[in-house]
């Protein structure tokens, strides 16, 4: 007789070899999508379904992504503290709610004017994209 209290329903948990888990952690820390991580593991010779990957290793992927974000923030703060003016301005806007007030200073007394649409564009893969 099998003791059902010890047996869990469903398939047994998947374990990856150490090399595959290291690859998964590296790809997750680079903020690769689940599909990219799946493709990377497949290319390295480890066969695992995309859905199974996310179910079995979703918390590991999220933990690695969060650690990478913290590392990036730490590097940004260090760059700002080293005197990079652009980074100081950007962090001031993001973290402290600071903003540029030049427009308010010059336009506050001006009569109501229609705002001109400034066409900005970029060239991506040889095509001009306006936004």
């Amino acid at each position: 007789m099998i003791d059902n209290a010890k047996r869990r329903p469903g398939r047994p948990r998947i374990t990856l070899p150490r090399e595959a888990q290291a690859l998964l952690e590296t790809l997750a820390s680079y903020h690769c999508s689940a599909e990219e991580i799946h493709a990377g593991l497949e290319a390295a010779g480890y066969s695992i379904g995309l859905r199974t990957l996310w179910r079995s290793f979703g918390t590991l992927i999220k933990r690695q992504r969060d650690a990478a974000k913290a590392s990036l923030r730490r590097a940004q703060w260090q760059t700002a503290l080293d005197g990079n003016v652009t980074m100081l301005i950007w962090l001031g806007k993001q973290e402290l709610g600071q903003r540029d007030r030049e427009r308010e200073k010059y336009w506050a007394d001006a009569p109501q004017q229609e705002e001109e649409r400034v066409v900005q564009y970029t060239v991506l893969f040889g095509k001009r994209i306006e936004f």
Side-chain angles (χ1 to χ4, degrees):
M1 182 171 182
I2 298 174
D3 185 11
N4 287 331
K6 293 182 181 178
R7 187 169 166 234
R8 298 183 75 160
R11 297 184 73 174
R13 290 248 177 224
I14 287 189
T15 57
L16 287 176
R18 191 174 290 237
E19 300 84 22
Q21 190 163 352
L23 177 61
L24 183 139
E25 290 174 358
T26 301
L27 293 173
S29 69
Y30 293 151
H31 285 262
C32 291
S33 66
E35 291 83 11
E36 292 169 333
I37 294 171
H38 176 257
L41 289 172
E42 289 284 327
Y46 301 105
S47 179
I48 182 171
L50 181 61
R51 193 168 170 192
T52 304
L53 172 71
W54 193 248
R55 278 190 191 169
S56 299
F57 301 102
T59 56
L60 176 65
I61 291 170
K62 184 173 178 353
R63 189 172 44 238
Q64 286 301 118
R65 288 178 179 169
D66 290 344
K69 285 180 187 178
S71 178
L72 181 58
R73 279 197 187 97
R74 193 171 34 255
Q76 285 177 318
W77 280 107
Q78 190 58 49
T79 301
L81 294 175
D82 288 343
N84 185 326
V85 177
T86 305
M87 187 60 75
L88 284 169
I89 292 169
W90 185 83
L91 282 172
K93 289 178 181 179
Q94 298 299 313
E95 301 294 329
L96 304 175
Q98 298 170 344
R99 61 177 189 225
D100 294 329
R101 296 203 172 137
E102 292 297 318
R103 182 178 172 102
E104 294 171 13
K105 179 178 161 186
Y106 292 112
W107 290 86
D109 299 337
Q112 290 292 334
Q113 297 179 0
E114 265 188 48
E115 194 171 304
E116 286 185 39
R117 182 175 182 267
V118 177
V119 177
Q120 296 179 340
Y121 70 93
T122 184
V123 176
L124 185 65
F125 303 116
K127 294 182 181 178
R128 180 180 166 149
I129 300 171
E130 293 186 8
F131 55 95

